Amino acid sequence: MRASSLLSEALAVLGKEWTSELRSRVALNAIGLFALTTLIAVAYQIGPYRISEADRPFLLAALLWIILFFAASSGLARVFVKEEDAHTAKTLRLAARPAAVFAGKLLFNLILLLCLEALIVPLYCALMGFAVRSVAGLALVLAFGAVALASTATIVAAIIARASGSGTLFAILTVPLALPLLVFLIQGTRAAAQADAIAAVFPALRAIVSLAGVTLVASVYLFPVVWHD
Amino acid sequence: MTETKRPSWWPWLLFVWMVVVIWAAFYYAPSARGFKGESARIVFFHVPQAWVAVLAFCVNLVFSIRYLRRRDALDDARAAAAARLGLVFAVLATVTGSLFARVMWNHFWNWDPREVSIAILLLIYFAYFALREAVADEERRGALSASYAVLAFVTMPFLIFVVPRIYWSLHPDTIINTRGSIDMESRMLHVLIGSLVGFTGLFFWLYALDVRLARLRQKHQQRGEV
């Protein structure tokens, strides 16, 4: 009963996020346009022919995650910053439990990231000639990578919203925390590009899932402190 | 919480200990095989510095959690002092590692997984201080920076243990290697243990000074408020 009410609260927070996002489309526009602009710049300057065959899996995997990560960084902080800017954080504190607020905001960021990946990854593969041999492997890396990135970004967004709310601070705090994750994501993507067997991505996937797990657990424990400090 | 006052001879003992360690690192320990010149002697400084950095970040974690539970401003000061010293020792470990890399592989920086890991670790704790600078309210600063410190610490095992083992590394075997044994000549081991003790003592001495300063600052502020 308690769990189901927490779930319904979290879904209500998610619904509120979507409604307000569809009204303003700030995060969607920021993330989408940043990703498309960077992708076009990279594709125009490097394209499918300027990287040697041997270097392709490595460099193209790294470039893909740089585009995804920095595009995501431009919009994910908004979930909490906008509450402080609009002075709606106090109402939200009264309306929902911290765990539900965190879960709702995390789900919203996760959906944003999955939309971003769905838009950018096929385009990137087409424009850069990035041939992926294990599509299922890449899908797993993208899915768990989105969970891990969304967890880190959501808790850091909550922290900076209570600090000064600046986007610069979000980048300063998120980039170092996300760097180990990016290392594993690039390694997993490269493995998916190089090997037919899905098992090739498992070593990186194990690290990504563990990192996502510990970040999620730590975030759930820390969020009430950050939210009610 | 009152901290016991340490005897005044303690820093002098530490000074003598460190002098003996430095002497032993160059004259008592034999030359190591398989390294260029006497470059391997840097291990007696590099390893203890890296160890103290990790120890400092552990202390930072403990006091960050304690701050979140008790909201004592002194715990926040203790956490910050530990992180500050952790950063100093991590920078020193990076510099000594780079000097060794220059001698062994002709470059100060080789993008080795361990070099990348320590660079990320430095960035994380620089970010911790950037966050502290960004918050004016003391209590909020304590809560937010403690939360970030806990988040930062959970990524540390991945940086220290996972990343260096996934990629091929130039870095020599760690002291306790992957086989669980210590492959080191006994006199070298004596010096290394002595140095580890000395650097740990140095950390706690500097840490106690920093905390004492924070406590005095707090008292001064309270008097000003009265």
Side-chain angles (χ1 to χ4, degrees), chain B residues 6 17 31 61 68 81 84 94 96 101 105 115 121 124 130 146 149-150 154 156-157 161 174 186 195 212:
Chain B
R6 285 175 186 80
W17 186 278
S31 295
L61 175 77
L68 292 176
R84 209 164 12 248
T94 311
T96 48
W105 309 301
E115 288 175 332
L121 207 63
I124 288 177
V150 175
V154 297
M156 218 152 78
F161 302 111
T174 45
S186 64
S195 182
R212 209 169 124 198

Side-chain angles (χ1 to χ4, degrees), chain B residues 143-207:
Chain B
L144 296 182
S145 56
S147 305
Y148 188 74
V150 175
L151 261 185
F153 195 85
V154 297
T155 59
M156 218 152 78
F158 291 90
L159 290 172
I160 295 173
F161 302 111
V162 183
V163 173
R165 277 162 182 78
I166 282 189
Y167 293 98
W168 179 82
S169 175
L170 283 165
H171 196 281
D173 253 3
T174 45
I175 300 304
I176 299 172
N177 57 34
T178 46
R179 299 177 298 281
S181 59
I182 302 174
D183 294 337
M184 195 177 243
E185 202 270 342
S186 64
R187 278 180 296 165
M188 291 174 84
L189 197 59
H190 296 158
V191 180
L192 183 67
I193 291 169
S195 182
L196 282 168
V197 172
F199 271 94
T200 307
L202 186 65
F203 163 70
F204 280 112
W205 178 54
L206 292 171
Y207 171 75

Side-chain angles (χ1 to χ4, degrees), chain B residues 1 13 18 20 30 34 39 55 67 75 85-86 91 94 102 110-111 122 124 136 144 147 164 182 204 210 212 214 218:
Chain B
M1 193 179 117
L13 175 71
M18 290 306 282
V20 172
S39 62
L55 175 72
Y67 178 81
D75 284 336
L85 288 170
V91 168
T94 311
R102 176 73 180 85
N110 300 281
W111 293 107
L122 287 173
I124 288 177
L144 296 182
S147 305
I182 302 174
F204 280 112
D210 204 330
R212 209 169 124 198
Q218 225 177 41

Side-chain angles (χ1 to χ4, degrees), chain A residues 155-156 159 162-164 169 172-174 176-177 179-180 183-184 187 207 210-211 214-215 218-219 221-222 225-226 229, chain B residues 65 68 71 120 123-124 127-128 130-131 134-135 140 143-144 147-148 150-152 154-155 158-159 162-163 166-167:
Chain A
I155 188 68
V156 175
I159 291 175
R162 306 291 292 149
S164 65
L169 191 61
I172 291 171
L173 299 188
T174 313
L177 285 184
L179 270 173
V183 169
F184 299 128
Q187 198 210 1
S210 322
L211 205 45
V214 292
T215 312
S219 304
Y221 162 74
L222 293 168
V225 177
V226 175
D229 79 286
Chain B
I65 293 174
L68 292 176
R71 300 294 169 131
I120 298 174
L123 283 177
I124 288 177
Y128 170 83
L131 174 62
V135 190
R140 186 173 285 186
L144 296 182
S147 305
Y148 188 74
V150 175
L151 261 185
V154 297
T155 59
F158 291 90
L159 290 172
V162 183
V163 173
I166 282 189
Y167 293 98

